[in-house]
Amino acid sequence: MISSNTYKKASLSAAIALSLFVSACGSDNDNKTATPEPVEPPVVPAPVNYEYMVKVVNLTTAQPMSPVAVVLHNEGKLWEIGMPASTALENLAESGDNSAVLSETMVLSGQSGASPLPPGMSETITVSIEDTMPSSISIATMLVNTNDAFTGVTAKDISNLAVNESISLLTSSYDSGTEKNSELMATIPGPAAGGEGYNEMRDDVDYVAMHPGVVTKDDGLAQSVLTQDHRFDNPTLSITITRVE
């Protein structure tokens, strides 16, 4: 017969063993590290490219155009009738140098024609930008057989132009108003005269206006180095703007 003391000792030993087992199991659970959920990398949207092809045709008889500047922008204008020309525009209109226009602070993206555009010839210039949709395009070039005439378009709205759609337009010519139209050889940098280009001194009305056209020696202006061939009527450029992307 098992004594009560012996039975009590056995029961106590079993209880202690069970307690230690349960404690050990709990400790194992406490020390386990949860497996982290996989983190999905953020989705990076593909860049959106806005690209435009600009075809420019020189419609004049004897007025080469300086390398054409094409710029995309969302604010500002390259010029405004009745307002003074910027220094950048003055430089282009007097010398044909478009580098300052392409560097204007408003420009989001710009491109230059490869070379001067001869009379009757055409050139296609492509300009593009990523991730910023431009609302406007401006185009400018100098009539180089003049002292400060230029042509083009300022702040043309392209915000609603869809891919593969085009805008066609004809341009008039403007006088930058920065230099008197003396028609002297010294003031005309083109092949008709080979004279001076940009001069920072302004000795004319100092505001942009529609250009009245040149006065030639065939018109009786003896001091003019220009001939009847150098006259130009509006329009002076044909421009087609096509959104290709």
Side-chain angles (χ1 to χ4, degrees):
M1 174 180 272
I2 300 173
S3 66
S4 62
N5 286 339
T6 302
Y7 182 83
K8 288 179 180 178
K9 287 180 181 179
S11 297
L12 180 60
S13 297
I16 292 172
L18 179 61
S19 175
L20 290 174
F21 177 79
V22 171
S23 176
C25 291
S27 176
D28 286 346
N29 289 338
D30 291 341
N31 290 335
K32 285 182 179 179
T33 303
T35 303
E37 292 293 326
V39 178
E40 293 293 333
V43 177
V44 179
V48 179
N49 194 53
Y50 300 92
E51 184 171 290
Y52 303 85
M53 284 195 322
V54 179
K55 182 179 180 180
V56 182
V57 183
N58 183 344
L59 301 178
T60 70
T61 302
Q63 285 287 345
M65 303 293 171
S66 65
V68 180
V70 179
V71 300
L72 302 175
H73 54 106
N74 280 335
E75 57 184 25
K77 295 182 176 182
L78 283 187
W79 70 87
E80 191 169 350
I81 297 290
M83 299 298 293
S86 66
T87 301
L89 182 65
E90 178 188 10
N91 204 324
L92 181 145
E94 292 184 7
S95 72
D97 181 359
N98 64 23
S99 58
V101 165
L102 294 171
S103 300
E104 287 275 63
T105 55
M106 72 175 190
V107 174
L108 298 173
S109 180
Q111 194 62 250
S112 172
S115 59
L117 183 62
M121 301 300 289
S122 67
E123 181 179 18
T124 299
I125 302 164
T126 300
V127 61
S128 64
I129 186 173
E130 279 191 359
D131 291 336
T132 301
M133 183 175 182
S135 62
S136 302
I137 191 168
S138 293
I139 302 161
T141 179
M142 178 193 183
L143 286 71
V144 299
N145 282 328
T146 69
N147 63 305
D148 66 346
F150 69 97
T151 185
V153 59
T154 182
K156 177 65 179 176
D157 186 359
I158 56 171
S159 60
N160 294 320
L161 195 63
V163 174
N164 296 324
E165 281 189 341
S166 298
I167 300 171
S168 295
L169 49 95
L170 300 171
T171 72
S172 297
S173 291
Y174 305 90
D175 190 323
S176 71
T178 57
E179 192 172 81
K180 287 181 180 178
N181 299 339
S182 66
E183 320 294 24
L184 291 171
M185 179 180 292
T187 67
I188 297 174
E196 179 186 57
Y198 171 67
N199 187 322
E200 64 180 4
M201 184 180 71
R202 299 191 177 194
D203 61 0
D204 200 7
V205 294
D206 200 19
Y207 59 79
V208 176
M210 301 302 297
H211 203 286
V214 296
V215 182
T216 73
K217 57 187 176 184
D218 296 329
D219 299 313
L221 184 63
Q223 68 188 35
S224 177
V225 295
L226 303 177
T227 69
Q228 188 171 355
D229 288 339
H230 298 113
R231 291 175 177 167
F232 54 90
D233 295 320
N234 291 324
T236 43
L237 291 182
S238 169
I239 296 177
T240 302
I241 304 161
T242 304
R243 182 177 171 187
V244 294
E245 191 174 352

